[in-house]
Amino acid sequence: MSAAAAQDTHIVAATAPLIEARNVTRILPGVVPTTLVHNIDLVIRENEFVGITGPSGSGKSSLLYLLGLLDLPTSGEVLVRGQETTNMAEEDRAHARLTMLGFVFQFHFLLPEFTVLENVMLPMRALGQLSASAMRTRGGDLLGSLGLGDHMNKRPDQLSGGQRQRVAVARALANEPPVILADEPTGSLDSKSSEQVFEVLRDLVHRHGKTVVAVTHDLGMAARMDRQIELIDGAIVADKAVLVERI
Amino acid sequence: MNLILDIAWTHVRARVRQTGFAVAGVATGVGFSIMMASLMQGSQDDFTNRLVNTLPNVTVSDERRSPPPQPAATLYAAAEIHGLTPEARRRGIKNPLATMAALEAWLPGAVGPSVKVQAIIRYANHDIATNIIGIDPRRESMISDLPKQMRGATLNALFRATNAIVIGDRLSDKIGARIGANITLQTSEGARLNAQVVGFFHTGVRQLDESTAYVLTKTGQILSKQTGLINELRVRLREPMTSREIATRIENDTGYKSVSWQEANEDLISTFIIRNLIMYTVVGAILLVASFGTYNIISTITHEKARDIAIMKSLGLSEYTVRSIFVIEAMIIGVAGALAGFLLGYLLCLALGSIEIKNPFLDSDRLPLAYTYTHYLLAGAVALVSSVAAGYQPARKAARMHPVEIIRGAT
Ligand SMILES: Nc1ncnc2c1ncn2[C@@H]1O[C@H](COP(=O)(O)OP(=O)(O)OP(=O)(O)O)[C@@H](O)[C@H]1O
Ligand SMILES: [Mg+2]
């Protein structure tokens, strides 16, 4: 294969839409219905590093849950790799989450009774495609690459906040999903740990070809991402790609 | 280990005390169910055995189910004839030896001829209506356990005196007759005979011990004033539980009324059915109550683990997987409870079996208990099914939980 051809395929792959929101609105029913987000049109492409910013209560988390198939839109549709997901069976949506989407929440959300390695292996075991030893090796490699090689057999409560958050990243990567969705992954961390976690996420995009969508309050951090989306009152008010601007 | 089992086991293990209570509940239910079933079955078996071993399995008598029609009624079928008594037949089974031989040709068991006479025993101011049965002591061991149930003498003592008689021990207590006593037998036909008590028997069946006496066939025939009379064939089968079918066949073959021991004790058997019904209801209620404990603990775990459920669901574990985790937890409780219950039930049976009680209706001073593995299987299966049923509802609810709601609540 020629270098030019390889370049071409890279460009095609880089521009393929991964997650697409089409006129998505989510209203929480109730005595006074709450609009979480409305009329969202958004395309997340391969190998993008996207930051979502906005004031508290503007619907950042809600949007992330919708893009990650954790929540269903009241109207509109969400497509993953071109496939419509809102009418999917719950089981198929779960499978899409298991294989295509990795979640990292503000609080680490690890299972407390299991070791770090077992937590990372959980999605692999749920998918059940690898042998036990292969899962172990892959889990160990992931943790090692995130600087947690020495902590594999500890319980989550024996780790620092930053370490836990990196374990959560390792777990999100377990089944090699193309997309990582992170909701304020550094929100509960000090600046040093925040920087570590940020670098991990950036490396995923720049070195490993993943797509990362991260909600953040930290405008400085958002500025270092490749694309920034700003939400106010449940609507997108700005969507700018840093690279384009720089050119 | 399988992921579902692994998580389920982790949840259960982390709550030894709480799950321990649920397990103890199931175990108590299973244990007492086994004990109760064993006691019920034991006393029923004990009684049935006594009936089966003491009474003939099938009794063929010289009666018919419906009285024979009068010749006049058959001859003049068109005419209505009132006031006719049924035709009187000569008493006794016709050709008893040939009939017996015919039966013994196919019956899986033995047949013995006897004479049954109703008589009043007179002794020391007592008049007691009694069934006198004339038997052949040498054949009796093939037909009933009477030779084994003799007290104070063997059945062969009947040969020792003219008009010798053995009577039930309760009967002897009632009239105060001891061995050697001379009693008078009197029938409604006017026959009268002096007989000498040569022994007692005790079957454990009150009705027999109180109002039955055995004599030689010849003596019976004298009492009934009919030489050579055989009015009853007593049958013992190798498989007493087949008596009903065999009795029907004998009746069809010979035309004589044949009564199986089940038919003769129908009221008793229906009492057993009611008793078993009560037992199963109570046992079912015990196990149902035990399953409430399982329901409780599974609901508690699903509430405590709401966050973990949200994590698992957000990672992409399916509803089915999450539900299975909690159903398996209920199953673990059910299995552990059943196993502990087996042990408890067995120990309770041993304990009950070692208690000495004086029971006027029982010969032994121990409670009769049946150790049957089916009781264990049944109680175990019911415990397991009710545990799973109890765990299913909270498990389903947990699996349907919306992860977003919990994650929103946590952040
Ligand atoms: N369960 C709920 N019931 C009612 N309103 C809710 C619920 N969850 C969220 N909201 C409201 O929906 C809106 C969007 O919430 P969301 O969590 O998406 O905002 P956010 O941008 O992530 O905020 P933050 O930066 O504080 O995390 C907010 O106004 C919030 O108050
Ligand atoms: Mg938020």
Side-chain angles (χ1 to χ4, degrees), chain A residues 74-107:
Chain A
T74 309
S75 67
E77 49 191 27
V78 175
L79 293 84
V80 174
R81 283 233 161 101
Q83 202 180 358
E84 208 285 311
T85 60
T86 38
N87 292 323
M88 267 185 180
E90 165 56 31
E91 203 178 313
D92 297 332
R93 249 197 318 279
H95 192 260
R97 283 202 295 276
L98 191 59
T99 53
M100 311 249 269
L101 304 159
F103 269 98
V104 180
F105 297 101
Q106 177 174 0
F107 298 99

PDB file of all heavy atoms in Angstrom, chain A residues 74-107:
ATOM      1  N   THR A  74     -36.335  12.819  24.020  1.00  0.00           N
ATOM      2  CA  THR A  74     -37.788  12.918  23.931  1.00  0.00           C
ATOM      3  C   THR A  74     -38.192  13.032  22.461  1.00  0.00           C
ATOM      4  O   THR A  74     -39.194  12.466  22.033  1.00  0.00           O
ATOM      5  CB  THR A  74     -38.274  14.161  24.704  1.00  0.00           C
ATOM      6  OG1 THR A  74     -37.702  14.127  26.007  1.00  0.00           O
ATOM      7  CG2 THR A  74     -39.781  14.193  24.810  1.00  0.00           C
ATOM      8  N   SER A  75     -37.382  13.756  21.689  1.00  0.00           N
ATOM      9  CA  SER A  75     -37.589  13.778  20.241  1.00  0.00           C
ATOM     10  C   SER A  75     -36.228  13.923  19.574  1.00  0.00           C
ATOM     11  O   SER A  75     -35.243  14.271  20.228  1.00  0.00           O
ATOM     12  CB  SER A  75     -38.510  14.929  19.848  1.00  0.00           C
ATOM     13  OG  SER A  75     -37.860  16.154  20.111  1.00  0.00           O
ATOM     14  N   GLY A  76     -36.182  13.661  18.277  1.00  0.00           N
ATOM     15  CA  GLY A  76     -34.914  13.670  17.566  1.00  0.00           C
ATOM     16  C   GLY A  76     -34.268  12.311  17.642  1.00  0.00           C
ATOM     17  O   GLY A  76     -34.830  11.383  18.243  1.00  0.00           O
ATOM     18  N   GLU A  77     -33.098  12.183  17.022  1.00  0.00           N
ATOM     19  CA  GLU A  77     -32.453  10.884  17.077  1.00  0.00           C
ATOM     20  C   GLU A  77     -30.948  10.980  17.241  1.00  0.00           C
ATOM     21  O   GLU A  77     -30.333  11.995  16.920  1.00  0.00           O
ATOM     22  CB  GLU A  77     -32.817  10.055  15.849  1.00  0.00           C
ATOM     23  CG  GLU A  77     -32.665  10.781  14.529  1.00  0.00           C
ATOM     24  CD  GLU A  77     -33.301   9.984  13.389  1.00  0.00           C
ATOM     25  OE1 GLU A  77     -34.251   9.211  13.672  1.00  0.00           O
ATOM     26  OE2 GLU A  77     -32.834  10.129  12.252  1.00  0.00           O
ATOM     27  N   VAL A  78     -30.393   9.893  17.796  1.00  0.00           N
ATOM     28  CA  VAL A  78     -28.948   9.799  17.986  1.00  0.00           C
ATOM     29  C   VAL A  78     -28.472   8.617  17.154  1.00  0.00           C
ATOM     30  O   VAL A  78     -29.034   7.528  17.242  1.00  0.00           O
ATOM     31  CB  VAL A  78     -28.597   9.587  19.475  1.00  0.00           C
ATOM     32  CG1 VAL A  78     -27.096   9.366  19.626  1.00  0.00           C
ATOM     33  CG2 VAL A  78     -29.058  10.771  20.310  1.00  0.00           C
ATOM     34  N   LEU A  79     -27.448   8.864  16.303  1.00  0.00           N
ATOM     35  CA  LEU A  79     -26.919   7.790  15.471  1.00  0.00           C
ATOM     36  C   LEU A  79     -25.501   7.472  15.910  1.00  0.00           C
ATOM     37  O   LEU A  79     -24.712   8.378  16.204  1.00  0.00           O
ATOM     38  CB  LEU A  79     -26.912   8.197  14.000  1.00  0.00           C
ATOM     39  CG  LEU A  79     -28.276   8.379  13.324  1.00  0.00           C
ATOM     40  CD1 LEU A  79     -28.810   9.773  13.589  1.00  0.00           C
ATOM     41  CD2 LEU A  79     -28.163   8.101  11.840  1.00  0.00           C
ATOM     42  N   VAL A  80     -25.171   6.213  15.995  1.00  0.00           N
ATOM     43  CA  VAL A  80     -23.805   5.804  16.279  1.00  0.00           C
ATOM     44  C   VAL A  80     -23.313   5.051  15.053  1.00  0.00           C
ATOM     45  O   VAL A  80     -23.944   4.078  14.625  1.00  0.00           O
ATOM     46  CB  VAL A  80     -23.728   4.915  17.534  1.00  0.00           C
ATOM     47  CG1 VAL A  80     -22.315   4.378  17.712  1.00  0.00           C
ATOM     48  CG2 VAL A  80     -24.127   5.709  18.769  1.00  0.00           C
ATOM     49  N   ARG A  81     -22.202   5.541  14.462  1.00  0.00           N
ATOM     50  CA  ARG A  81     -21.679   4.970  13.221  1.00  0.00           C
ATOM     51  C   ARG A  81     -22.790   4.845  12.186  1.00  0.00           C
ATOM     52  O   ARG A  81     -22.947   3.826  11.540  1.00  0.00           O
ATOM     53  CB  ARG A  81     -21.058   3.607  13.468  1.00  0.00           C
ATOM     54  CG  ARG A  81     -19.671   3.695  14.102  1.00  0.00           C
ATOM     55  CD  ARG A  81     -18.658   2.886  13.295  1.00  0.00           C
ATOM     56  NE  ARG A  81     -17.291   3.285  13.572  1.00  0.00           N
ATOM     57  CZ  ARG A  81     -16.468   2.600  14.394  1.00  0.00           C
ATOM     58  NH1 ARG A  81     -16.885   1.516  14.991  1.00  0.00           N
ATOM     59  NH2 ARG A  81     -15.248   3.019  14.556  1.00  0.00           N
ATOM     60  N   GLY A  82     -23.637   5.867  12.122  1.00  0.00           N
ATOM     61  CA  GLY A  82     -24.681   5.909  11.090  1.00  0.00           C
ATOM     62  C   GLY A  82     -25.913   5.116  11.435  1.00  0.00           C
ATOM     63  O   GLY A  82     -26.902   5.134  10.698  1.00  0.00           O
ATOM     64  N   GLN A  83     -25.881   4.429  12.573  1.00  0.00           N
ATOM     65  CA  GLN A  83     -27.042   3.617  12.910  1.00  0.00           C
ATOM     66  C   GLN A  83     -27.926   4.315  13.945  1.00  0.00           C
ATOM     67  O   GLN A  83     -27.431   4.785  14.976  1.00  0.00           O
ATOM     68  CB  GLN A  83     -26.605   2.255  13.439  1.00  0.00           C
ATOM     69  CG  GLN A  83     -27.728   1.267  13.272  1.00  0.00           C
ATOM     70  CD  GLN A  83     -27.351  -0.108  13.780  1.00  0.00           C
ATOM     71  OE1 GLN A  83     -26.247  -0.345  14.236  1.00  0.00           O
ATOM     72  NE2 GLN A  83     -28.315  -0.996  13.702  1.00  0.00           N
ATOM     73  N   GLU A  84     -29.199   4.361  13.641  1.00  0.00           N
ATOM     74  CA  GLU A  84     -30.162   4.994  14.525  1.00  0.00           C
ATOM     75  C   GLU A  84     -30.265   4.153  15.805  1.00  0.00           C
ATOM     76  O   GLU A  84     -30.313   2.933  15.744  1.00  0.00           O
ATOM     77  CB  GLU A  84     -31.503   5.043  13.783  1.00  0.00           C
ATOM     78  CG  GLU A  84     -32.397   6.179  14.187  1.00  0.00           C
ATOM     79  CD  GLU A  84     -33.033   5.925  15.512  1.00  0.00           C
ATOM     80  OE1 GLU A  84     -33.578   4.819  15.695  1.00  0.00           O
ATOM     81  OE2 GLU A  84     -32.987   6.825  16.346  1.00  0.00           O
ATOM     82  N   THR A  85     -30.286   4.796  16.958  1.00  0.00           N
ATOM     83  CA  THR A  85     -30.263   4.024  18.212  1.00  0.00           C
ATOM     84  C   THR A  85     -31.496   4.196  19.084  1.00  0.00           C
ATOM     85  O   THR A  85     -31.720   3.390  19.989  1.00  0.00           O
ATOM     86  CB  THR A  85     -29.050   4.439  19.076  1.00  0.00           C
ATOM     87  OG1 THR A  85     -29.177   5.828  19.378  1.00  0.00           O
ATOM     88  CG2 THR A  85     -27.751   4.189  18.356  1.00  0.00           C
ATOM     89  N   THR A  86     -32.298   5.221  18.816  1.00  0.00           N
ATOM     90  CA  THR A  86     -33.389   5.494  19.757  1.00  0.00           C
ATOM     91  C   THR A  86     -34.462   4.409  19.742  1.00  0.00           C
ATOM     92  O   THR A  86     -35.139   4.205  20.743  1.00  0.00           O
ATOM     93  CB  THR A  86     -34.040   6.863  19.473  1.00  0.00           C
ATOM     94  OG1 THR A  86     -34.091   7.061  18.059  1.00  0.00           O
ATOM     95  CG2 THR A  86     -33.261   7.978  20.101  1.00  0.00           C
ATOM     96  N   ASN A  87     -34.596   3.725  18.602  1.00  0.00           N
ATOM     97  CA  ASN A  87     -35.622   2.673  18.553  1.00  0.00           C
ATOM     98  C   ASN A  87     -35.055   1.280  18.777  1.00  0.00           C
ATOM     99  O   ASN A  87     -35.764   0.290  18.635  1.00  0.00           O
ATOM    100  CB  ASN A  87     -36.346   2.717  17.204  1.00  0.00           C
ATOM    101  CG  ASN A  87     -37.170   3.985  17.084  1.00  0.00           C
ATOM    102  OD1 ASN A  87     -37.751   4.439  18.066  1.00  0.00           O
ATOM    103  ND2 ASN A  87     -37.183   4.577  15.903  1.00  0.00           N
ATOM    104  N   MET A  88     -33.768   1.240  19.137  1.00  0.00           N
ATOM    105  CA  MET A  88     -33.139  -0.064  19.372  1.00  0.00           C
ATOM    106  C   MET A  88     -33.719  -0.742  20.618  1.00  0.00           C
ATOM    107  O   MET A  88     -34.204  -0.060  21.523  1.00  0.00           O
ATOM    108  CB  MET A  88     -31.651   0.151  19.658  1.00  0.00           C
ATOM    109  CG  MET A  88     -30.743   0.060  18.476  1.00  0.00           C
ATOM    110  SD  MET A  88     -29.058   0.210  19.114  1.00  0.00           S
ATOM    111  CE  MET A  88     -28.162   0.087  17.587  1.00  0.00           C
ATOM    112  N   ALA A  89     -33.619  -2.057  20.647  1.00  0.00           N
ATOM    113  CA  ALA A  89     -33.967  -2.772  21.877  1.00  0.00           C
ATOM    114  C   ALA A  89     -32.942  -2.400  22.945  1.00  0.00           C
ATOM    115  O   ALA A  89     -31.784  -2.150  22.623  1.00  0.00           O
ATOM    116  CB  ALA A  89     -33.944  -4.278  21.634  1.00  0.00           C
ATOM    117  N   GLU A  90     -33.398  -2.371  24.191  1.00  0.00           N
ATOM    118  CA  GLU A  90     -32.524  -1.990  25.300  1.00  0.00           C
ATOM    119  C   GLU A  90     -31.245  -2.842  25.297  1.00  0.00           C
ATOM    120  O   GLU A  90     -30.146  -2.358  25.544  1.00  0.00           O
ATOM    121  CB  GLU A  90     -33.291  -2.137  26.621  1.00  0.00           C
ATOM    122  CG  GLU A  90     -32.459  -2.125  27.894  1.00  0.00           C
ATOM    123  CD  GLU A  90     -31.583  -0.881  28.047  1.00  0.00           C
ATOM    124  OE1 GLU A  90     -31.992   0.185  27.567  1.00  0.00           O
ATOM    125  OE2 GLU A  90     -30.485  -0.998  28.628  1.00  0.00           O
ATOM    126  N   GLU A  91     -31.419  -4.112  24.966  1.00  0.00           N
ATOM    127  CA  GLU A  91     -30.279  -5.027  24.966  1.00  0.00           C
ATOM    128  C   GLU A  91     -29.220  -4.606  23.935  1.00  0.00           C
ATOM    129  O   GLU A  91     -28.019  -4.634  24.206  1.00  0.00           O
ATOM    130  CB  GLU A  91     -30.814  -6.416  24.612  1.00  0.00           C
ATOM    131  CG  GLU A  91     -29.961  -7.564  25.066  1.00  0.00           C
ATOM    132  CD  GLU A  91     -30.648  -8.870  24.696  1.00  0.00           C
ATOM    133  OE1 GLU A  91     -31.869  -8.984  24.969  1.00  0.00           O
ATOM    134  OE2 GLU A  91     -29.997  -9.731  24.113  1.00  0.00           O
ATOM    135  N   ASP A  92     -29.700  -4.177  22.758  1.00  0.00           N
ATOM    136  CA  ASP A  92     -28.764  -3.766  21.710  1.00  0.00           C
ATOM    137  C   ASP A  92     -28.064  -2.467  22.083  1.00  0.00           C
ATOM    138  O   ASP A  92     -26.885  -2.270  21.781  1.00  0.00           O
ATOM    139  CB  ASP A  92     -29.504  -3.595  20.377  1.00  0.00           C
ATOM    140  CG  ASP A  92     -30.086  -4.916  19.910  1.00  0.00           C
ATOM    141  OD1 ASP A  92     -29.509  -5.966  20.278  1.00  0.00           O
ATOM    142  OD2 ASP A  92     -31.114  -4.907  19.213  1.00  0.00           O
ATOM    143  N   ARG A  93     -28.814  -1.559  22.739  1.00  0.00           N
ATOM    144  CA  ARG A  93     -28.187  -0.317  23.181  1.00  0.00           C
ATOM    145  C   ARG A  93     -27.103  -0.617  24.212  1.00  0.00           C
ATOM    146  O   ARG A  93     -26.031  -0.028  24.193  1.00  0.00           O
ATOM    147  CB  ARG A  93     -29.231   0.636  23.772  1.00  0.00           C
ATOM    148  CG  ARG A  93     -29.461   1.863  22.907  1.00  0.00           C
ATOM    149  CD  ARG A  93     -30.156   2.979  23.643  1.00  0.00           C
ATOM    150  NE  ARG A  93     -31.226   2.526  24.488  1.00  0.00           N
ATOM    151  CZ  ARG A  93     -32.452   2.245  24.057  1.00  0.00           C
ATOM    152  NH1 ARG A  93     -32.764   2.397  22.792  1.00  0.00           N
ATOM    153  NH2 ARG A  93     -33.374   1.813  24.889  1.00  0.00           N
ATOM    154  N   ALA A  94     -27.403  -1.574  25.111  1.00  0.00           N
ATOM    155  CA  ALA A  94     -26.410  -1.968  26.114  1.00  0.00           C
ATOM    156  C   ALA A  94     -25.169  -2.518  25.409  1.00  0.00           C
ATOM    157  O   ALA A  94     -24.036  -2.209  25.781  1.00  0.00           O
ATOM    158  CB  ALA A  94     -26.996  -3.013  27.062  1.00  0.00           C
ATOM    159  N   HIS A  95     -25.393  -3.307  24.379  1.00  0.00           N
ATOM    160  CA  HIS A  95     -24.254  -3.889  23.666  1.00  0.00           C
ATOM    161  C   HIS A  95     -23.443  -2.807  22.963  1.00  0.00           C
ATOM    162  O   HIS A  95     -22.203  -2.869  22.927  1.00  0.00           O
ATOM    163  CB  HIS A  95     -24.748  -4.934  22.660  1.00  0.00           C
ATOM    164  CG  HIS A  95     -23.632  -5.765  22.108  1.00  0.00           C
ATOM    165  ND1 HIS A  95     -23.082  -5.532  20.876  1.00  0.00           N
ATOM    166  CD2 HIS A  95     -22.941  -6.803  22.644  1.00  0.00           C
ATOM    167  CE1 HIS A  95     -22.108  -6.401  20.657  1.00  0.00           C
ATOM    168  NE2 HIS A  95     -22.004  -7.188  21.723  1.00  0.00           N
ATOM    169  N   ALA A  96     -24.126  -1.794  22.419  1.00  0.00           N
ATOM    170  CA  ALA A  96     -23.411  -0.685  21.777  1.00  0.00           C
ATOM    171  C   ALA A  96     -22.560   0.052  22.807  1.00  0.00           C
ATOM    172  O   ALA A  96     -21.414   0.421  22.530  1.00  0.00           O
ATOM    173  CB  ALA A  96     -24.408   0.269  21.126  1.00  0.00           C
ATOM    174  N   ARG A  97     -23.098   0.240  24.016  1.00  0.00           N
ATOM    175  CA  ARG A  97     -22.319   0.891  25.073  1.00  0.00           C
ATOM    176  C   ARG A  97     -21.095   0.064  25.415  1.00  0.00           C
ATOM    177  O   ARG A  97     -20.008   0.572  25.616  1.00  0.00           O
ATOM    178  CB  ARG A  97     -23.170   1.058  26.340  1.00  0.00           C
ATOM    179  CG  ARG A  97     -24.158   2.183  26.294  1.00  0.00           C
ATOM    180  CD  ARG A  97     -24.554   2.622  27.700  1.00  0.00           C
ATOM    181  NE  ARG A  97     -25.282   1.619  28.464  1.00  0.00           N
ATOM    182  CZ  ARG A  97     -26.592   1.419  28.370  1.00  0.00           C
ATOM    183  NH1 ARG A  97     -27.313   2.143  27.541  1.00  0.00           N
ATOM    184  NH2 ARG A  97     -27.194   0.504  29.096  1.00  0.00           N
ATOM    185  N   LEU A  98     -21.321  -1.250  25.463  1.00  0.00           N
ATOM    186  CA  LEU A  98     -20.247  -2.156  25.881  1.00  0.00           C
ATOM    187  C   LEU A  98     -19.091  -2.125  24.883  1.00  0.00           C
ATOM    188  O   LEU A  98     -17.931  -2.195  25.269  1.00  0.00           O
ATOM    189  CB  LEU A  98     -20.825  -3.571  26.000  1.00  0.00           C
ATOM    190  CG  LEU A  98     -19.972  -4.644  26.674  1.00  0.00           C
ATOM    191  CD1 LEU A  98     -19.643  -4.238  28.098  1.00  0.00           C
ATOM    192  CD2 LEU A  98     -20.720  -5.969  26.672  1.00  0.00           C
ATOM    193  N   THR A  99     -19.402  -2.019  23.599  1.00  0.00           N
ATOM    194  CA  THR A  99     -18.356  -2.179  22.588  1.00  0.00           C
ATOM    195  C   THR A  99     -17.886  -0.860  21.973  1.00  0.00           C
ATOM    196  O   THR A  99     -16.761  -0.777  21.512  1.00  0.00           O
ATOM    197  CB  THR A  99     -18.862  -3.080  21.445  1.00  0.00           C
ATOM    198  OG1 THR A  99     -20.103  -2.537  20.971  1.00  0.00           O
ATOM    199  CG2 THR A  99     -19.074  -4.495  21.931  1.00  0.00           C
ATOM    200  N   MET A 100     -18.735   0.170  21.930  1.00  0.00           N
ATOM    201  CA  MET A 100     -18.378   1.376  21.183  1.00  0.00           C
ATOM    202  C   MET A 100     -18.113   2.590  22.060  1.00  0.00           C
ATOM    203  O   MET A 100     -17.520   3.556  21.596  1.00  0.00           O
ATOM    204  CB  MET A 100     -19.511   1.725  20.223  1.00  0.00           C
ATOM    205  CG  MET A 100     -19.951   0.525  19.419  1.00  0.00           C
ATOM    206  SD  MET A 100     -19.522   0.711  17.724  1.00  0.00           S
ATOM    207  CE  MET A 100     -20.994   1.469  17.158  1.00  0.00           C
ATOM    208  N   LEU A 101     -18.612   2.569  23.291  1.00  0.00           N
ATOM    209  CA  LEU A 101     -18.554   3.782  24.102  1.00  0.00           C
ATOM    210  C   LEU A 101     -17.922   3.479  25.453  1.00  0.00           C
ATOM    211  O   LEU A 101     -18.272   2.502  26.103  1.00  0.00           O
ATOM    212  CB  LEU A 101     -19.976   4.299  24.340  1.00  0.00           C
ATOM    213  CG  LEU A 101     -20.793   4.571  23.074  1.00  0.00           C
ATOM    214  CD1 LEU A 101     -22.267   4.559  23.392  1.00  0.00           C
ATOM    215  CD2 LEU A 101     -20.387   5.881  22.455  1.00  0.00           C
ATOM    216  N   GLY A 102     -16.977   4.363  25.830  1.00  0.00           N
ATOM    217  CA  GLY A 102     -16.395   4.222  27.156  1.00  0.00           C
ATOM    218  C   GLY A 102     -16.769   5.431  27.987  1.00  0.00           C
ATOM    219  O   GLY A 102     -16.693   6.553  27.514  1.00  0.00           O
ATOM    220  N   PHE A 103     -17.244   5.181  29.239  1.00  0.00           N
ATOM    221  CA  PHE A 103     -17.674   6.288  30.089  1.00  0.00           C
ATOM    222  C   PHE A 103     -16.689   6.547  31.208  1.00  0.00           C
ATOM    223  O   PHE A 103     -16.196   5.620  31.836  1.00  0.00           O
ATOM    224  CB  PHE A 103     -19.036   5.973  30.732  1.00  0.00           C
ATOM    225  CG  PHE A 103     -20.173   6.464  29.910  1.00  0.00           C
ATOM    226  CD1 PHE A 103     -20.850   5.617  29.056  1.00  0.00           C
ATOM    227  CD2 PHE A 103     -20.553   7.792  29.977  1.00  0.00           C
ATOM    228  CE1 PHE A 103     -21.892   6.073  28.284  1.00  0.00           C
ATOM    229  CE2 PHE A 103     -21.593   8.260  29.210  1.00  0.00           C
ATOM    230  CZ  PHE A 103     -22.274   7.400  28.359  1.00  0.00           C
ATOM    231  N   VAL A 104     -16.454   7.838  31.475  1.00  0.00           N
ATOM    232  CA  VAL A 104     -15.699   8.223  32.671  1.00  0.00           C
ATOM    233  C   VAL A 104     -16.513   9.315  33.359  1.00  0.00           C
ATOM    234  O   VAL A 104     -16.840  10.320  32.737  1.00  0.00           O
ATOM    235  CB  VAL A 104     -14.294   8.768  32.305  1.00  0.00           C
ATOM    236  CG1 VAL A 104     -13.540   9.158  33.578  1.00  0.00           C
ATOM    237  CG2 VAL A 104     -13.499   7.742  31.520  1.00  0.00           C
ATOM    238  N   PHE A 105     -16.879   9.071  34.621  1.00  0.00           N
ATOM    239  CA  PHE A 105     -17.705  10.048  35.332  1.00  0.00           C
ATOM    240  C   PHE A 105     -16.861  10.909  36.253  1.00  0.00           C
ATOM    241  O   PHE A 105     -15.710  10.593  36.532  1.00  0.00           O
ATOM    242  CB  PHE A 105     -18.790   9.330  36.139  1.00  0.00           C
ATOM    243  CG  PHE A 105     -19.744   8.565  35.281  1.00  0.00           C
ATOM    244  CD1 PHE A 105     -19.622   7.187  35.137  1.00  0.00           C
ATOM    245  CD2 PHE A 105     -20.753   9.208  34.592  1.00  0.00           C
ATOM    246  CE1 PHE A 105     -20.490   6.480  34.339  1.00  0.00           C
ATOM    247  CE2 PHE A 105     -21.620   8.501  33.797  1.00  0.00           C
ATOM    248  CZ  PHE A 105     -21.493   7.136  33.664  1.00  0.00           C
ATOM    249  N   GLN A 106     -17.515  11.963  36.740  1.00  0.00           N
ATOM    250  CA  GLN A 106     -16.783  12.874  37.617  1.00  0.00           C
ATOM    251  C   GLN A 106     -16.260  12.135  38.851  1.00  0.00           C
ATOM    252  O   GLN A 106     -15.132  12.290  39.261  1.00  0.00           O
ATOM    253  CB  GLN A 106     -17.698  14.020  38.049  1.00  0.00           C
ATOM    254  CG  GLN A 106     -17.018  14.962  39.032  1.00  0.00           C
ATOM    255  CD  GLN A 106     -17.883  16.170  39.330  1.00  0.00           C
ATOM    256  OE1 GLN A 106     -18.981  16.307  38.802  1.00  0.00           O
ATOM    257  NE2 GLN A 106     -17.370  17.056  40.154  1.00  0.00           N
ATOM    258  N   PHE A 107     -17.136  11.336  39.453  1.00  0.00           N
ATOM    259  CA  PHE A 107     -16.690  10.489  40.550  1.00  0.00           C
ATOM    260  C   PHE A 107     -16.363   9.152  39.938  1.00  0.00           C
ATOM    261  O   PHE A 107     -17.034   8.710  39.005  1.00  0.00           O
ATOM    262  CB  PHE A 107     -17.760  10.410  41.624  1.00  0.00           C
ATOM    263  CG  PHE A 107     -18.044  11.759  42.216  1.00  0.00           C
ATOM    264  CD1 PHE A 107     -19.134  12.501  41.809  1.00  0.00           C
ATOM    265  CD2 PHE A 107     -17.161  12.308  43.133  1.00  0.00           C
ATOM    266  CE1 PHE A 107     -19.370  13.764  42.333  1.00  0.00           C
ATOM    267  CE2 PHE A 107     -17.387  13.576  43.664  1.00  0.00           C
ATOM    268  CZ  PHE A 107     -18.490  14.310  43.264  1.00  0.00           C
TER     269      PHE A 107
END
